[in-house]
Amino acid sequence: MSAPPDSPTVAADPPHRRRVVVRGVVQGVGFRPYVYGLATELALVGHVTNTSEGVIAEVEGSAWAVARFCDRLALQAPPLARVESVDHQELPAAGGEAFTILASRVGGPARTLGSPDTATCADCLAELADPADRRHRHPFVNCTHCGPRFTIVTGVPYDRANTTMAGFPMCPDCAREYGDPADRRFHAQPVACPACGPRLRLIVPGAESTAGTDPVTEARALLARGAILAVKGIGGYHLACDATDDDAVALLRHRKARGNKPFAVMARSVGDIEHLVRLGPEERGLLEGPVRPVVLLRRHPDPSYGAPRPAEAVAPGSPDLGVMLPYTPVHHLLLGLPGDPGGPRLLVMTSGNISGEPIVTDDVDALERLAPLADAWLTHDRPIQVPCDDSVVRVCDGQPLVVRRSRGYTPLPVPLPLPVRPALAVGGDLKNAFCLGEGRQAWLSAHIGDMDDLETQRAFEGAVQQLESITGVRPKSLACDRHPGYRSAGWAERNAAGRAVVRVQHHHAHIAAAMAEHGLDGTRPVIGVAFDGTGHGDDGAVWGGEFLLADYDGFRRFAHLAYVPLPGGDTAVRRPYRMALAQLRASCLTWSGDLACTAACPPGELRLLERQLDRDLNCVPTSSMGRLFDAVSSLAGVCQLAGYEAQAAVELEAAALRAPADDTVAYPFELRGDDPVRADPAPLFTAIVADLRAGAGPALVAARFHRAVTALVHRLCVRARERHGLDTVALTGGVFANTLLSSACSAALRQDGFTVLRHHLVPPGDGGLALGQLMVAARLLARTTTDD
């Protein structure tokens, strides 16, 4: 065994042997080939293998070479690897002739971290487009650095036998690459080629067989003719159509019963959308990086009229356009490789489901459930083990703001500031994502959806079982929301099986999630500003405009928006004019016919609403900031009927962006009482009505309202600092997905010396709720155990 050329000369250096255990994202990312190359370079003998615990290597050689190996192991790891820990153990020398890769060892609890699905790498794209390559136009080209991971895993350790590729035996050529340590496909579990891999096929009901034709070529032709395609992807089916075809987009919107909720589009390259949106280096990095989420990009106020341009019905009323770039070979083929005939350059790519249901993953299910929506199916025979929607991200003040954390991020864990015992936090009922925690790690699930639907509840249960199996977490307790009617909380109670179930107040969980994400240990409370649409309050009201002094142990309600009736519950959410009329009444303002909200309410409903408010029938009080946005949106004439969650608020933000830059007026709130302080918007509504009657347009009203909320946040945080000496503010809740508001609040607070916490790793809305539930419940159970 000869020493490497740069090693020091040491006389009669006896061999040293060391066992090294590497934990983290180290399977499916080329870590064993990397270890093999590093050991070989340093002239070490031994072996490396995958186990349920992580990657385990034994290396033997000179003391210098062994030490050098350990020093470089984590520092020079492959780009997709994420090393969480490296443990060493000295062993007796055993000798050997070479360094080898051993078969994976099965057994024991899972402790390694799974890898997310990753966009097709540049090397694989080059092969896809190269007529001389054996994988030319192969729809499933991948390697160690890219391709499906999380969505094909059926068990651990991560080997082909524990993936949905187990049913595709490798051909001799692929097997040779798979076994060659010098090849970038060495132990790439999804490796395949046209001779041995999955097959694409196009199903067109009622059409003659297209045997012998290229399914992608036929699919592109269908898209160009205005068809809607169900396209099987990595984590589920998409519904796709030509985004520049007004009729096709309108038809898809109608079939999916989507209302005016914006669609995302997939572009072939950044060059196809940069004339439409504002694109900074952060946005470009997200679009072109390995995750490839949907990136919400602010539209140009006056976009150039270059091609391609999406149809107006793609994102009506939204200030943003959701854009992603291709992340699978099928996507690249659908949008066309260099030299391909012309075809659509922008595609609508929306989740393959009926609105409200989970994304479809099963092929038989797709043919049945998507039949009313799709004209044809571009599918394949590689099963999807784990449903996984596209992630959604936007950039706020140069930092990522994750709106939906799913494909490309799951199952990477979030580090925790404090250790927790094994637990499951089930999240909320809207935008559900649950969370498993143990030690100093929390694993958030992929986006599940709204728990109203029975299929979503089944998907939730399956996802819990799957994530427990690959993380090895066996929950000893459960955490859920305090809402008595939440289906997620009901599931936790039904499945407790004797385990403790801790109910956590909704907005306390939001604030705790922000604290955990920023590594706060909870020894000092923060001023938590939690703004959202709905959350069950401890007094039975619907909270949502909250200022809480909080740590993981508990909270004190320092201030909130003044209560106003929520007439008709969810009906008021769908009809923002009801909230506007309720606010006008609470502000002692008449329902004059010249106001947009009064005009929008049918006369019969107006009379019923008046009686409803008089008698306080089905009028639960609410302090929701989301509902305040709805009311102002309606009063300003922006949005009277909400076809999707937060539509009125989204369109109000869009209106505010059109306001004159030289206007600095902010509407007033009146602060009443103490412990808690009540922020009364009556003066705000009086000022808005006066502005409207003076001829102010929606843009001016919207901008002044945003400044009013910013001033309220600053004013109440200053008061909390003066009274309680706190100077850290957490901005959380779904309302803070509004980047205009988030940026303004953060700037005002930071300018006044506050430390501001905003979400970057988990969503500010209910998709991040489970992380906070986990931390609050863990703290409660730890105190209870200590007290006992």
Side-chain angles (χ1 to χ4, degrees), residues 283-566:
E283 289 88 351
R284 185 182 290 269
L286 286 167
L287 285 169
E288 296 180 336
V291 174
R292 300 283 173 106
V294 175
V295 183
L296 299 180
L297 302 170
R298 197 68 90 194
R299 295 178 192 245
H300 282 308
D302 297 304
S304 61
Y305 282 84
R309 293 185 59 79
E312 288 298 322
V314 165
S318 173
D320 304 311
L321 184 64
V323 178
M324 58 180 161
L325 298 190
Y327 58 85
T328 73
V330 171
H331 295 154
H332 287 279
L333 292 167
L334 272 179
L335 286 162
L337 299 179
D340 281 356
R345 292 162 57 189
L346 284 181
L347 296 175
V348 166
M349 279 283 187
T350 188
S351 297
N353 58 358
I354 296 172
S355 291
E357 294 185 359
I359 190 169
V360 175
T361 57
D362 179 76
D363 298 332
V364 174
D365 205 20
L367 290 171
E368 179 181 338
R369 287 173 58 193
L370 301 183
L373 310 180
D375 300 310
W377 287 253
L378 184 62
T379 186
H380 58 77
D381 53 354
R382 183 181 68 204
I384 297 171
Q385 178 68 16
V386 186
C388 204
D389 277 281
D390 294 314
S391 294
V392 181
V393 183
R394 69 189 316 157
V395 172
C396 183
D397 296 332
Q399 295 291 321
L401 189 163
V402 178
V403 178
R404 183 167 75 194
R405 186 182 187 272
S406 202
R407 178 190 50 77
Y409 296 99
T410 305
L412 292 178
V414 175
L416 296 178
L418 298 169
V420 301
R421 295 172 182 172
L424 165 64
V426 299
D429 271 19
L430 298 177
K431 298 183 174 66
N432 179 270
F434 63 86
C435 178
L436 288 170
E438 184 173 1
R440 286 184 174 266
Q441 291 180 323
W443 290 266
L444 272 77
S445 72
H447 170 77
I448 304 294
D450 295 349
M451 296 287 281
D452 283 345
D453 184 77
L454 183 59
E455 288 297 326
T456 305
Q457 294 170 41
R458 290 172 179 156
F460 170 90
E461 188 153 356
V464 168
Q465 294 171 358
Q466 194 270 344
L467 196 57
E468 285 183 4
S469 73
I470 68 167
T471 60
V473 176
R474 300 294 179 260
K476 306 298 184 187
S477 62
L478 294 90
C480 62
D481 196 271
R482 283 185 184 170
H483 195 297
Y486 266 13
R487 290 167 175 82
S488 53
W491 184 93
E493 296 284 1
R494 291 191 307 274
N495 290 272
R499 296 173 293 181
V501 177
V502 179
R503 286 184 173 262
V504 181
Q505 199 282 324
H506 191 88
H507 302 96
H508 186 199
H510 274 309
I511 295 163
M515 293 172 61
E517 177 180 328
H518 285 271
L520 272 63
D521 64 7
T523 54
R524 182 172 170 79
V526 303
I527 305 167
V529 183
F531 288 171
D532 62 5
T534 182
H536 184 72
D538 286 351
D539 57 0
V542 176
W543 291 7
E546 309 306 311
F547 295 78
L548 309 181
L549 310 182
D551 54 22
Y552 299 126
D553 288 322
F555 68 91
R556 172 182 173 185
R557 199 180 190 198
F558 176 75
H560 62 87
L561 284 180
Y563 285 140
V564 66
L566 182 67

Side-chain angles (χ1 to χ4, degrees), residues 668-691:
F669 285 86
E670 183 177 356
L671 301 186
R672 299 177 180 271
D674 202 0
D675 198 27
V677 178
R678 300 184 308 280
D680 187 351
L684 177 146
F685 282 98
T686 300
I688 291 176
V689 169
D691 270 356

Side-chain angles (χ1 to χ4, degrees), residues 104-130:
S104 296
R105 299 207 316 250
V106 182
R111 283 293 177 268
T112 190
L113 304 182
S115 172
D117 305 295
T118 305
T120 310
C121 70
D123 287 336
C124 285
L125 285 179
E127 293 173 341
L128 187 71
D130 182 1

